Amino acid sequence: MTHDPRPFGRLLTAMVTPFAPDGSLDVEGAAKLATYLVDEQRNDALVISGTTGESPTTTDAEKETLLRAVIEAVGDRARVVAGVGTNNTAHTVELAHAAQKAGAHGLLVVTPYYNKPPQAGVAKHFRTVAEATDLPIIVYDIPHRAGTAIATETMCRIAEHERIVAVKDAKGDLVASSWVTSRTDLAYYSGDDAATLPLLSIGGVGLVGTSTHFTGPIAKDMIEAYERGDVAAALTLHRQALPLFTGIFRAPGTMLVKAGLRARGLPAGPVRSPLVDAGDEELNQLREDAAKAGIVL
């Protein structure tokens, strides 16, 4: 099966979900934030309702409202990917149906978490979701959160499905990822900002980022430099962004992204419990990390 080598472009951001001061969904703010991420941070696509978007604490109705607002705001010039992954295959299929109806361009589906299915169950989950809609799927492999890694053989088997086209790779195992990129045509996107350049070296195509709420232009330039063969320039840009590529994860990324956005006067609002808003000390550290990357927060 031959797919588009970059089905969602080179740079995607897992967008946070803006909330109003009372904790309700800020639909107008979501549209404004999406516009900023596409027009100023140079994203080719956005992931809506991923974990960074606080999907565990938003309702299905909120997810659909958010998705429609972002598609209306930027869907004419960027791809909008809906996070629909849960640890319940039937619920994931329901969310996939709703996302397709809302106009999503693709789906992000995480490995079922907590219940730790065997590899046969993992494969069945992804195939079932792939059969449920006509949308292309990004498989999200993040074992340190999901509790289960997608084995190389499993990844190669599910890659045979025509709608499973890409991977958000947060496994932290470049050898395993290298085997998959050598045996399939899955488009590998880094799910760890700082691992993007190493992943490009083994066949990766881009990044689904968190720090890219702020580092988007640097990350995009880095990927493009590597693609045109200017490895030295790509390495320089990697090293420039590294303090924020990594610093955004000193606390859960959602907390620090929202703190940084609030500092910039952009829509963010509070986080929902069980997360807590970043404090002054965390914001000051984030500003230091950003300054080292040449970014003012």
Side-chain angles (χ1 to χ4, degrees):
M1 188 67 62
T2 301
H3 301 299
D4 182 340
R6 297 176 191 83
F8 300 98
R10 294 169 175 81
L11 181 66
L12 303 82
T13 289
M15 192 181 96
V16 298
T17 299
F19 296 127
D22 66 357
S24 61
L25 185 65
D26 180 3
V27 179
E28 183 178 340
K32 182 177 179 181
L33 179 59
T35 300
Y36 155 81
L37 289 172
V38 172
D39 295 349
E40 297 185 37
Q41 293 297 312
R42 296 175 54 197
N43 282 275
D44 301 308
L46 301 177
V47 174
I48 307 304
S49 293
T51 309
T52 303
E54 296 180 79
S55 59
T57 55
T58 56
T59 67
D60 292 0
E62 286 175 324
K63 288 178 174 65
E64 183 173 348
T65 299
L66 175 68
L67 179 60
R68 289 181 181 276
V70 172
I71 291 170
E72 183 177 353
V74 301
D76 61 335
R77 57 194 186 280
R79 305 202 79 185
V80 181
V81 178
V84 300
T86 73
N87 63 346
N88 177 335
T89 305
H91 187 202
T92 301
V93 166
E94 290 175 5
L95 291 173
H97 285 154
Q100 181 170 28
K101 186 176 180 180
H105 303 116
L107 305 174
L108 178 74
V109 183
V110 71
T111 316
Y113 42 83
Y114 189 76
N115 42 20
K116 300 183 76 171
Q119 292 298 307
V122 171
K124 182 178 180 181
H125 177 82
F126 284 113
R127 288 191 184 116
T128 300
V129 180
E131 287 296 322
T133 78
D134 298 324
L135 297 176
I137 287 175
I138 306 174
V139 171
Y140 189 7
D141 190 8
I142 182 165
H144 65 274
R145 285 204 180 203
T148 303
I150 304 174
T152 298
E153 292 302 321
T154 302
M155 193 72 84
C156 292
R157 284 197 299 272
I158 64 175
E160 295 171 2
H161 196 289
E162 63 181 350
R163 284 186 289 279
I164 295 177
V165 301
V167 177
K168 180 182 177 182
D169 181 18
K171 181 180 284 183
D173 185 345
L174 285 173
V175 174
S177 300
S178 186
W179 276 114
V180 178
T181 59
S182 71
R183 294 173 56 189
T184 76
D185 63 357
L186 289 171
Y188 257 64
Y189 293 89
S190 180
D192 177 352
D193 303 32
T196 306
L197 184 56
L199 189 69
L200 292 174
S201 75
I202 60 163
V205 302
L207 167 64
V208 181
T210 301
S211 75
T212 47
H213 285 82
F214 314 107
T215 62
I218 303 173
K220 188 75 167 287
D221 285 346
M222 178 186 72
I223 296 165
E224 291 177 344
Y226 186 87
E227 285 189 345
R228 67 174 179 266
D230 194 344
V231 178
L235 180 58
T236 296
L237 290 163
H238 164 80
R239 288 172 172 168
Q240 176 187 342
L242 193 58
L244 197 50
F245 276 173
T246 57
I248 203 74
F249 299 111
R250 289 181 186 272
T254 302
M255 292 166 50
L256 294 184
V257 168
K258 284 196 164 184
L261 291 173
R262 288 193 298 267
R264 280 195 162 182
L266 288 163
V271 296
R272 284 183 176 174
S273 183
L275 295 180
V276 293
D277 291 323
D280 291 342
E281 184 175 342
E282 289 165 312
L283 176 58
N284 289 336
Q285 179 63 64
L286 180 66
R287 282 177 163 144
E288 288 182 22
D289 293 333
K292 291 176 182 176
I295 294 169
V296 177
L297 294 182

